[in-house]
Amino acid sequence: MKKYGLIGKKLGHSWSKDWFEKMFRQEGIRDAAYQLYELPTTDNLSQWVAQEGLLGFNVTIPYKQKVIPMMDGLDPEAEAIGAVNCVEVVGGRMIGHNTDAPAFAQTLQPLLHPWHSQALILGTGGASKAVAYALQQLGISFTFVSRTPEKHPHAISYAAALDCCSQTYLIVNCTPAGMFPDVDQSPWPNTPPLTERHLCYDLIYNPTKTRFLQQAKRCGASIVNGLAMLEHQAQLSWQIWLDSQQDK
Ligand code: NAP
């Protein structure tokens, strides 16, 4: 059996196993399995991966940046982004990739209008780095928003972001605020002033309509959740693992 999976600290929210199992069924793949692995730490990751016999795995919150020093190689995109969400294991060596960035770009692009030339990125973690890279590729300027802007030289506070909202029409939530099971949370301390011109993209897909997206919808903004991005990044990860098998 070829073993794949997802590592993260808490995975109760994740739909990755369901996506891969459905894809295996649809494609008639019987010799592959995808498991969720809740790891309290990534210490000794390479020994653990060897023990489990994984051929590839995805990485989620909060390990996308933490795993970088443990990689034996990085593809140029993962290196430029500074975050890894897909690892290919070749002959015991771990090669880090980032499939979040192209998945985000592919799902955002059809929704863009000329007035979406600037964006606010909520959060400063691994996913926010992939989103920033994708926005740069699409020629959209962006500002990070953080709860602790003093720790992030390029980020502004949520109070400052509330002021920018009326001129910045693309807002991307890259924080876990509102994700299952904490569905009552929103990254915003106060309801942001949104309009029909705004496009609000929440990387969270569970629940399908977070509190932030509900607020945005009530203001007439266009909304999109992270489900299509999840599916795209999983598809791209699977292609990396297939290519890796074929190269052997
Ligand atoms: P992460 O590395 O832990 O970073 C999350 C960032 O959000 C933190 O750096 C923090 O920035 C901010 N944050 C954390 N808790 C918060 C809270 N309660 N309220 C407001 N801000 C908070 O996580 P990640 O890997 O970037 O993932 C972020 C989210 O994106 C998760 O919900 C993940 O499931 C989702 N995601 C979805 C997809 C998809 O395919 N749909 C792909 C990637 C990620 P500050 O401390 O600077 O505020």
Side-chain angles (χ1 to χ4, degrees):
M1 186 62 73
K2 293 173 181 158
K3 288 175 77 177
Y4 304 91
L6 170 67
I7 67 162
K9 203 162 210 165
K10 286 195 181 140
L11 297 174
H13 69 279
S14 176
W15 291 356
S16 290
K17 182 174 159 68
D18 303 320
W19 187 89
F20 274 97
E21 287 183 345
K22 189 171 162 208
M23 186 271 287
F24 292 153
R25 270 198 309 279
Q26 282 171 350
E27 303 286 324
I29 298 167
R30 293 200 181 82
D31 63 345
Y34 189 98
Q35 294 296 333
L36 301 183
Y37 298 97
E38 287 194 347
L39 301 185
T41 166
T42 49
D43 292 350
N44 305 317
L45 184 68
S46 82
Q47 290 97 313
W48 177 82
V49 168
Q51 240 168 36
E52 285 294 328
L54 295 180
L55 294 178
F57 59 97
N58 291 120
V59 182
T60 192
I61 185 169
Y63 297 138
K64 290 181 188 199
Q65 296 167 88
K66 235 179 197 162
V67 297
I68 289 199
M70 297 157 205
M71 295 293 115
D72 299 295
L74 287 176
D75 85 350
E77 226 165 31
E79 188 159 19
I81 294 166
V84 160
N85 75 299
C86 170
V87 179
E88 169 194 7
V89 185
V90 205
R93 295 178 76 244
M94 296 194 289
I95 313 296
H97 299 261
N98 193 300
T99 62
D100 279 341
F104 175 72
Q106 283 163 21
T107 53
L108 175 70
Q109 204 162 18
L111 309 173
L112 291 172
H113 290 285
W115 52 88
H116 295 132
S117 55
Q118 292 175 48
L120 290 173
I121 301 178
L122 312 185
T124 57
S128 76
K129 288 190 155 62
V131 163
Y133 180 87
L135 291 176
Q136 205 168 18
Q137 304 281 305
L138 293 168
I140 297 172
S141 63
F142 55 83
T143 306
F144 289 102
V145 184
S146 172
R147 294 165 303 173
T148 52
E150 64 284 359
K151 290 191 193 157
H152 303 279
H154 303 297
I156 60 171
S157 67
Y158 279 90
L162 281 168
D163 289 340
C164 295
C165 267
S166 49
Q167 304 96 43
T168 310
Y169 297 112
L170 175 59
I171 301 177
V172 188
N173 179 32
C174 300
T175 82
M179 186 170 74
F180 177 86
D182 301 314
V183 296
D184 291 333
Q185 281 190 17
S186 160
W188 294 101
N190 299 307
T191 308
L194 303 171
T195 64
E196 306 82 56
R197 283 206 142 204
H198 281 87
L199 171 58
C200 297
Y201 194 131
D202 200 326
L203 263 53
I204 295 171
Y205 54 83
N206 181 11
T208 52
K209 210 186 275 176
T210 56
R211 190 158 156 233
F212 167 47
L213 291 187
Q214 290 172 30
Q215 287 170 336
K217 183 86 184 159
R218 276 198 293 274
C219 297
S222 302
I223 60 169
V224 56
N225 69 23
L227 187 55
M229 178 177 168
L230 172 83
E231 293 174 346
H232 273 65
Q233 65 78 27
Q235 188 65 57
L236 292 168
S237 297
W238 180 240
Q239 198 53 54
I240 288 169
W241 299 332
L242 275 186
D243 292 347
S244 164
Q245 291 292 301
Q246 274 157 13
D247 291 346
K248 270 190 176 171

